[in-house]
Amino acid sequence: SSLACALSAGGGISSVYALMSRWCSTQLGARRLFTCMSQPLVDKKKIEERYDIVELFQTDEAFRRQVFCSHFKHVFDLDRLAGRFHRLASAAKDLDADAAPRGKKGGIFSRVKLTLEDLVKLYDCAVECTSLETTLRGYAGIHRESLEKAFTEPLSEAVKSFSTFINLVEFTIDMEEAKHGSFVISRRFDSELASLLDKKEELRSRMNRERQKAEDDIPFASRKRDTEIVKLIEDNTMGFVLRVTKKDQSAVL
C-alpha cells in the first residue's frame, strides 16, 4: 500500500498518513495530504518544483507565518463548498424551467443546500486570495521562480476570474448584516426591506445599550479595557440573552 504502516502493531499510529496528518489543522488540508500521498508525483521536474516550495517555506519562517497565519484564517472548506456549486450546476442543467411545477416548495437552491452564507464564504475566500496574491508577488527569497509558477500565476488567474463574482456579492448582499452572521439581500433592492433592516439595527442598538448597562451595574473584580465581560449572544431557544463567562459568574450570583 502507498500508505504503509508507520509503527508496528500496538502503536498509536497505523500509517504514514496518520502520522503526518496530525499536523494538518483543517479537514481540507488532511484531504489534500491524502491525495498527494495516494497519488504521488512521478514527473521528476514537478517533484523538484515541489521540493523547492517545501524548502522555501521551511527556511523562511517569517514568510511562512505571513502566508499561513494571516491569509488562511478566512478560507472555508473549499472542497465541500465546490461540491454544492457542482450539484447546483448539475441540477440547473436537468431542470426544465417551463416544465417545472410552479410554487414547488424549496426550489433548486434548497435542494442542493446552497445558501447566501455559502456565497459570502466563497466571497471571503476570493477577497483573501487577492491579498494573498499581493503577498506572494512581494516574495524575493529563494526559489521565487518555482513559487511564481506553482502558486502566484495560477492564483492571479483565479483572482481575475472572481472579480465579477466579488462585485456581484457586494452589490446584492448586505455585507454589514453578514458581519453579524445574518445573510440577507441588500436593502437597496426594496424600500420595505430597508425599513425592516433599519428597525432591526435599532433593536440591536437597544440591546447593546442594555448589555452595556448590565456590565456597568455588575461589580466585576477585574476589568480589561476594550473588553466586553457581558456578552450579547443569540440562543436558538431563548433568543438574545446576556452571558458572562464562568470565572465572572460569582459577581452575578
Side-chain angles (χ1 to χ4, degrees):
S1 171
S2 59
L3 303 180
C5 288
L7 296 179
S8 59
I13 301 173
S14 60
S15 67
V16 174
Y17 168 73
L19 174 65
M20 298 184 66
S21 63
R22 296 170 65 185
W23 283 270
C24 294
S25 57
T26 65
Q27 292 184 357
L28 175 62
R31 288 197 298 272
R32 292 297 181 187
L33 175 63
F34 183 84
T35 300
C36 290
M37 296 184 69
S38 59
Q39 303 174 21
L41 295 176
V42 294
D43 184 271
K44 180 181 178 181
K45 185 176 181 180
K46 291 184 178 180
I47 292 174
E48 290 175 346
E49 289 176 351
R50 179 173 289 180
Y51 282 160
D52 288 345
I53 300 299
V54 172
E55 183 180 13
L56 182 159
F57 283 111
Q58 183 182 26
T59 56
D60 196 330
E61 182 178 357
F63 182 67
R64 182 176 73 246
R65 288 183 178 275
Q66 183 180 11
V67 171
F68 289 96
C69 297
S70 299
H71 295 294
F72 284 178
K73 292 189 297 183
H74 301 291
V75 176
F76 184 67
D77 192 332
L78 294 177
D79 285 342
R80 297 186 183 278
L81 194 57
R84 295 173 191 172
F85 280 99
H86 284 309
R87 288 195 296 273
L88 175 64
S90 178
K93 289 181 180 179
D94 297 337
L95 181 65
D96 185 352
D98 295 330
R102 297 184 180 276
K104 186 175 181 179
K105 185 178 180 180
I108 187 173
F109 285 94
S110 62
R111 275 182 278 163
V112 298
K113 298 181 179 180
L114 189 67
T115 65
L116 291 179
E117 182 178 1
D118 293 324
L119 297 180
V120 173
K121 287 178 178 178
L122 182 58
Y123 165 86
D124 288 338
C125 291
V127 171
E128 196 60 46
C129 283
T130 303
S131 177
L132 176 59
E133 180 194 8
T134 302
T135 298
L136 295 181
R137 289 199 178 281
Y139 177 76
I142 62 171
H143 304 311
R144 187 176 188 275
E145 296 79 8
S146 296
L147 181 67
E148 285 274 349
K149 183 178 180 180
F151 291 107
T152 309
E153 293 177 359
L155 183 63
S156 178
E157 292 300 318
V159 167
K160 291 178 182 178
S161 67
F162 271 99
S163 60
T164 302
F165 173 78
I166 291 175
N167 293 333
L168 178 65
V169 170
E170 291 177 344
F171 182 77
T172 56
I173 296 179
D174 193 321
M175 302 308 293
E176 287 300 318
E177 286 295 315
K179 293 178 182 178
H180 299 289
S182 178
F183 303 94
V184 295
I185 297 297
S186 175
R187 66 189 70 193
R188 65 167 58 92
F189 289 102
D190 184 78
S191 58
E192 184 177 356
L193 178 61
S195 177
L196 291 173
L197 289 175
D198 288 339
K199 292 179 180 179
K200 183 178 180 180
E201 289 179 356
E202 173 59 26
L203 289 173
R204 182 182 289 134
S205 178
R206 289 170 57 186
M207 287 189 293
N208 280 321
R209 288 197 295 269
E210 290 297 324
R211 184 209 64 78
Q212 186 62 54
K213 181 180 178 182
E215 184 169 306
D216 293 339
D217 291 343
I218 299 174
F220 291 106
S222 61
R223 293 175 181 268
K224 294 182 180 180
R225 180 179 295 181
D226 300 328
T227 300
E228 293 182 355
I229 300 178
V230 178
K231 305 287 186 180
L232 177 65
I233 64 171
E234 185 175 4
D235 184 81
N236 292 332
T237 57
M238 295 184 291
F240 285 92
V241 296
L242 298 179
R243 177 184 177 185
V244 296
T245 60
K246 188 174 182 179
K247 68 176 183 178
D248 294 315
Q249 286 181 0
S250 59
V252 181
L253 300 177

